[in-house]
Amino acid sequence: MPEIRVTPLGAGQDVGRSCILVSIAGKNVMLDCGMHMGFNDDRRFPDFSYITQNGRLTDFLDCVIISHFHLDHCGALPYFSEMVGYDGPIYMTHPTQAICPILLEDYRKIAVDKKGEANFFTSQMIKDCMKKVVAVHLHQTVQVDDELEIKAYYAGHVLGAAMFQIKVGSESVVYTGDYNMTPDRHLGAAWIDKCRPNLLITESTYATTIRDSKRCRERDFLKKVHETVERGGKVLIPVFALGRAQELCILLETFWERMNLKVPIYFSTGLTEKANHYYKLFIPWTNQKIRKTFVQRNMFEFKHIKAFDRAFADNPGPMVVFATPGMLHAGQSLQIFRKWAGNEKNMVIMPGYCVQGTVGHKILSGQRKLEMEGRQVLEVKMQVEYMSFSAHADAKGIMQLVGQAEPESVLLVHGEAKKMEFLKQKIEQELRVSCYMPANGETVTLPTSPSIPVGISLGLLKREMAQGLLPEAKKPRLLHGTLIMKDSNFRLVSSEQALKELGLAEHQLRFTCRVHLHDTRKEQEMALRVYSHLKSVLKDHCVQHLPDGSVTVESILIQAAAPSEDPGTKVLLVSWTYQDEELGSFLTSLLKKGLPQAPS
Amino acid sequence: TPSLRKNKQQQEEIATKKLRLTKPSKSAALHIDLCKATSPADALQYLLQFARKPVEAESVEGVVRILLEHYYKENDPSVRLKIASLLGLLSKTAGFSPDCIMDDAINILQNEKSHQVLAQLLDTLLAIGTKLPENQAIQMRLVDVACKHLTDTSHGVRNKCLQLLGNLGSLEKSVTKDAEGLAARDVQKIIGDYFSDQDPRVRTAAIKAMLQLHERGLKLHQTIYNQACKLLSDDYEQVRSAAVQLIWVVSQLYPESIVPIPSSNEEIRLVDDAFGKICHMVSDGSWVVRVQAAKLLGSMEQVSSHFLEQTLDKKLMSDLRRKRTAHERAKELYSSGEFSSGRKWGDDAPKEEVDTGAVNLIESGACGAFVHGLEDEMYEVRIAAVEALCMLAQSSPSFAEKCLDFLVDMFNDEIEEVRLQSIHTMRKISNNITLREDQLDTVLAVLEDSSRDIREALHELLCCTNVSTKEGIHLALVELLKNLTKYPTDRDSIWKCLKFLGSRHPTLVLPLVPELLSTHPFFDTAEPDMDDPAYIAVLVLIFNAAKTCPTMPALFSDHTFRHYAYLRDSLSHLVPALRLPGRKLVSSAVSPSIISQEDPSQQFLQQSLERVYSLQHLDPQGAQELLEFTIRDLQRLGELQSELAGVADFSATYLRCQLLLIKALQEKLWNVAAPLYLKQSDLASAAAKQIMEETYKMEFMYSGVENKQVVIIHHMRLQAKALQLIVTARTTRGLDPLFGMCEKFLQEVDFFQRYFIADLPHLQDSFVDKLLDLMPRLMTSKPAEVVKILQTMLRQSAFLHLPLPEQIHKASATIIEPAGESDNPLRFTSGLVVALDVDATLEHVQDPQNTVKVQVLYPDGQAQMIHPKPADFRNPGPGRHRLITQVYLSHTAWTEACQVEVRLLLAYNSSARIPKCPWMEGGEVSPQVETSIEGTIPFSKPVKVYIMPKPARR
């Protein structure tokens, strides 16, 4: 029995360290290769020893696919390919290929230079790893080998994020990675065609949430910033370098443009500058508005947003600053925060979630006095605002995607177990699709019934079609022919052609049967009675009375004979070919019941 | 009159004679060409060439015969295809009845093997069938043919068959059986069977055919509804898109039918069910379907209100707990009086737990359809959703109230078109709603938008908005003044906006007056600057409020009264007449009691026009005087009563034409011998010219001119032409040019007769009436004689009374920018171009995209005409247009700055009324033919622009 097996090494009932193994029709594919933010030990990377204890990974995996550049989806890649050892192809989209190494390098720097970890991958390893990457375009079907093919679909979420369809023969799996079903200011919405995969592996971060319209949040955000700036205050927006930062930049940039505002907006330099450069290049991956207007002006060529210099923080007058990192735990954003916190005219807007223990989390939970290092106490007088700009699909969006793709079954990853439970129940109830949610290391096995393609000769097809093409042509239909199996190749041909190809002569097979009837009349009369009887019963068939006294029904021959020994009984000889078996046996049973009494 | 009829017959004879000459040559030429063709490619070339030229109705049949003959002989399917398509085109020729070729067409159809040719032949049959809508027997036969080919294996053929069925299938099932024994078929059933065809294109064609039946007036069966619902989950977008339409149609036909909800015992109204299904399609995978669905939602007005309101409710939840939307929170904050407090983290914290079993994620029907549609990725969908919202809100006040928040949100859309559309939508529903203060705040924030279109749309919106509190009014005023300082060019628009804001909310303005005028109970305050636009804005608001609030003037200080008097005079369109203590009403005409009574000015207009009836019986001198003072009266009336200006101007222009004509005929010089006459003819020929100009103005510059006026106008023009002919005959020597002119004039008369044949009875005793009587004589006469006849007839013909149209407005245009006041020349390098921003308002111009042009006159007399792009025209209100465009100027170097003139022209083309022949539509028609301009009428005051092309520096 063919089957599809799925084992999450990470992201099974969990968020972070996405890594899912899929075996489909004898091919093994690894989906994503991420790290876990929450751990600093071995647990931060997936346990690759699950794949093989001592053999080389390359022998076991046909390919690796990376859905997008977030570290929880690609962070373990250099470790996996260079330190554990994998030489096979790694597939990702062009923007991911461009941005991924920047983030990996940044991650490495923090781990090695700041935290002083040993035994971590090196810059060279990142470079070597990226050499194994094969970049794919959207909707491009890539043949990994003769049988395995993959295809990328747009996923929204971040620049270059993609969903992947993995297909072998007629069996297929779709992996969504992270995706977003509502468009934002710089990216479009995820889209997939009705590809009807056997299995859809989807993220479920917001399995239990139905979100409000994005417009209110955007409007609120703009209003807050505008009001503060008009009052002469300064606005600090701590962001992560990639993703939301660009969305908010576009949002502010267009607002400034529309409202004709002159207040400066700054963007902290470094990582972001490089990233913005790539955003400018990958216009086809952005949303409708940016795609349509980039001929006049590339929206990422910011007119109002300038690079930030440390000295600017002390400038008088209003300004807006985007600074990293997003949770105010270190770096430039924290420095600026300390400078501005004392003035009630200023404002800080947290555009995302903050981990417990960070300054961001503290101020969001209402703390007004913060203890900084060196026993300093910082009094926070500035306004603190929270705006959630998330780029994951909510429950409705997930259902919508499942509805679009129409899979046979669904598998949930990248979410909390409790929330998955709810969504699983809903999917099974409302879409009547079986749903799975394996934990890490747990294997789900799905039996499949792959269809086997059979070639049919055009002549045969046309002949069979000509026998009445009904409008409901999607229904299964009976077709006579000969199946020839040759070199793992199936063909359906007409029997004549099969005989010819095999060099065989055609044999005729006839069945004959005698039916004894009590009747004293003459054979001729007998035959006439049989004829009239059959004529009245078989209205749809062609019943004929031949001059030699025999009766034919289609190709079935009936002859009446009088056996010499008993004049009271007559014998009916019924003869038919095996093709007419059905009608022939029906006729015999009909005749065995006897003829009706002749009307006197 | 008998002579007229006879004359007509003569005309026809002449016409047919001409055609008979061309008829054999056309088909013969084709025949020869086709016989010459050595290869299919050759034949195809000949056919293509042939198709470029039109064929007259009389020779169509001959051509068809030739084509058919070749069709039978032709082996190449591509040539047969072309012939088949030509047959279809030919049968569309006006004046040709294609029933004679039907038998042949059906005949060749039966022997045709190629699927493509078959499809084309069916198309031809469709053309034939639609040409003969009256002939039942033919229609039945065609339907029969279509049914026979429905089982074809090619999708193209099946497609065409379905199209045929949809267009020709008999509407009533119970048609009496035809004599030929063709049973009337149940077309609906047959088409319905193809809803499940294997080819998506055929499925689409089947649905379209069904829609076609509906359009033709057949009542579709309700059973189709279930079939159509299944098609909503089709794999192909075009099928889904058509299915959505079909469902909409059925829901409009059977809104009150009851349908069961699957997997439950409940039942709902069909229109509600359909609404839910179409709502579901708003989140379809294909944006084409989404646009279609969103558009159709707007016209489903019968839907129950609770279904309707669901479309705005997405049923938010977070982590399985019920959550309120930002809109709900804003409303709550506002009602608890905490508006403007900053938001804290967690105030959107989810509330009560949601019952997991009860949450429905997909099958929630209409839930949140508009929420999804309004945040769609494609702006096409968003615009469609906004439009639908507008239509639904117009029919349901409670829905209007609810959708307000969403519309306000759309003011921040990233695409300007969507923002503009939502502002317009809001304006359209504004009488159903009252803005809350927080909503007003968001609306007003958009006043800072840098796009003028957006700001002006918003001003329009504010003009008709209901505000609930005095704080709201204050807020609006403050924001508008801010807008004024930021964009001073918005001045007029803002004043107008405040005028309406004030007159709509007198009681809300009243408590604000002391603050606004900064008066103080004890102290005199400084008198504000009268020229300050902001101060004028405040006064406009207050004075308009004071109109219906008699207690308000008591709060004014002395200088306010003085300013009132000044503004009432200088900005009378913005400041109403007030009943002020101790002052007379400035103008009593405005008081409403008089207008509702019999309008004296209307009466006056009628009387003065009736006076002119007697014109006929007066001596020329008296007639001239009567006309002169009637024209004067009418002009004055037009100036006084703006609503009668159109009628008055229109009539005055006509009378002026008549006056000119009388004057020209009164010249003494008619008696003088021709050679002596050369110099004095100026007046008569100038009059002819001017009458022509005036008639063009009458025909094209007024909106609302009906056919009965057009006849009179054309008649007047004909008289002018006759006058011109006479004058030319008198002043030119030699007969040669006169021959041409005479013939041309007679052609004009002929054209007039043919075009206005229906109106001729109304033209008793007129110039043309008499002319037509004499037509046979004129046709054969020499030019000198013709001129003589014309001259006497012009003198004898009766004055035609001009019937007044119901509604008539004169087109006018005002150039706002360039203002023409600047002393700084626009400098640019000669030979290069400079862009000049032109901003103009147009009133009562029909089809401005095609008619309005910009003209630039250079000092050297050189004129340049610029065709603005269609997108440069905005339509801010009924009858009003706004042209905002850029005009590119260029010139060689000048020694010093000089002024160029910019003005707007109204282009016209009187031949545009003649219908086009259908044959040409299929062929290649040069677009210039349709848009050609016959002449132009300047209709705005010219504006002078100072420019300075400098020589390029080397």
Side-chain angles (χ1 to χ4, degrees), chain A residues 183 185 188 191 194 196 208-212 214-215 219-220 258-259 288 364 385-386 426 430 471, chain B residues 235 285 314 317 320 326 343 345 356 359-362 374-375 379-380 409 412-413 449-450 486:
Chain A
R185 287 285 169 152
W191 179 85
K194 232 175 236 196
R196 302 201 169 89
T208 54
T209 301
I210 299 177
R211 265 204 315 256
D212 197 359
K214 248 194 157 91
R215 305 201 167 271
R219 198 193 60 207
D220 268 359
R258 262 181 60 201
M259 297 302 181
Q288 188 195 21
L364 278 181
E385 291 289 340
Y386 173 73
K426 285 290 146 196
E430 290 180 26
Chain B
D235 282 10
K314 218 174 146 187
M317 63 174 191
L320 284 184
R343 195 136 65 81
W345 190 38
T356 49
V359 179
N360 210 338
L361 288 182
I362 44 166
L374 289 177
E375 57 176 357
Y379 85 93
E380 291 90 343
D409 282 347
N412 279 319
D413 194 273
D449 203 299
S450 60
K486 199 162 176 179

Side-chain angles (χ1 to χ4, degrees), chain B residues 51 133 135 139 164 332 558 600 706 723 931:
Chain B
N135 195 331
Q139 306 246 328
L164 234 146
E332 227 161 85
D558 279 346
E706 294 154 33
L723 184 65
T931 55

Side-chain angles (χ1 to χ4, degrees), chain B residues 514 517-528 555-560:
Chain B
L517 293 174
S518 47
T519 48
H520 196 276
F522 309 123
F523 303 114
D524 270 349
T525 42
E527 184 175 326
L555 299 167
F556 294 173
S557 50
D558 279 346
H559 55 81
T560 316

Side-chain angles (χ1 to χ4, degrees), chain A residues 341-488:
Chain A
N343 192 338
E344 62 274 4
K345 270 205 286 190
N346 296 345
M347 178 183 283
V348 60
I349 299 179
M350 310 296 299
Y353 175 72
C354 288
V355 170
Q356 216 158 20
T358 58
V359 175
H361 187 264
K362 280 180 200 158
I363 56 169
L364 278 181
S365 45
Q367 229 170 298
R368 281 312 195 180
K369 289 213 168 110
L370 298 175
E371 264 187 57
M372 310 306 278
E373 58 261 43
R375 302 207 164 256
Q376 260 181 306
V377 175
L378 182 68
E379 196 173 351
V380 183
K381 284 187 185 155
M382 77 197 298
Q383 294 176 57
V384 179
E385 291 289 340
Y386 173 73
M387 291 275 154
S388 130
F389 283 86
S390 170
H392 289 273
D394 64 359
K396 256 193 146 172
I398 295 172
M399 296 295 271
Q400 202 184 331
L401 187 91
V402 175
Q404 270 181 22
E406 290 191 3
E408 276 171 25
S409 39
V410 177
L411 190 143
L412 302 178
V413 293
H414 201 282
E416 293 164 35
K418 213 177 77 198
K419 298 182 180 177
M420 280 183 178
E421 198 70 61
F422 165 77
L423 191 65
K424 175 174 185 284
Q425 182 201 342
K426 285 290 146 196
I427 289 176
E428 287 177 343
Q429 257 175 24
E430 290 180 26
L431 296 168
R432 305 190 192 290
V433 166
S434 54
C435 186
Y436 307 89
M437 38 173 285
N440 284 337
E442 196 182 323
T443 303
V444 169
T445 310
L446 278 170
T448 58
S449 46
S451 50
I452 298 160
V454 174
I456 183 168
S457 77
L458 192 63
L460 179 66
L461 185 70
K462 278 196 172 165
R463 202 174 69 193
E464 292 289 331
M465 293 266 277
Q467 286 176 7
L469 177 90
L470 294 168
E472 42 281 299
K474 274 189 177 174
K475 283 190 180 162
R477 271 176 42 135
L478 195 64
L479 187 125
H480 293 275
T482 313
L483 187 70
I484 299 179
M485 293 165 64
K486 210 169 163 186
D487 324 322
S488 75

Side-chain angles (χ1 to χ4, degrees), chain A residues 39-54:
Chain A
F39 302 113
N40 274 327
D41 49 17
D42 281 349
R43 286 175 297 171
R44 72 179 157 206
F45 293 147
D47 180 16
F48 296 114
S49 64
Y50 178 91
I51 304 170
T52 167
Q53 288 296 333
N54 33 31

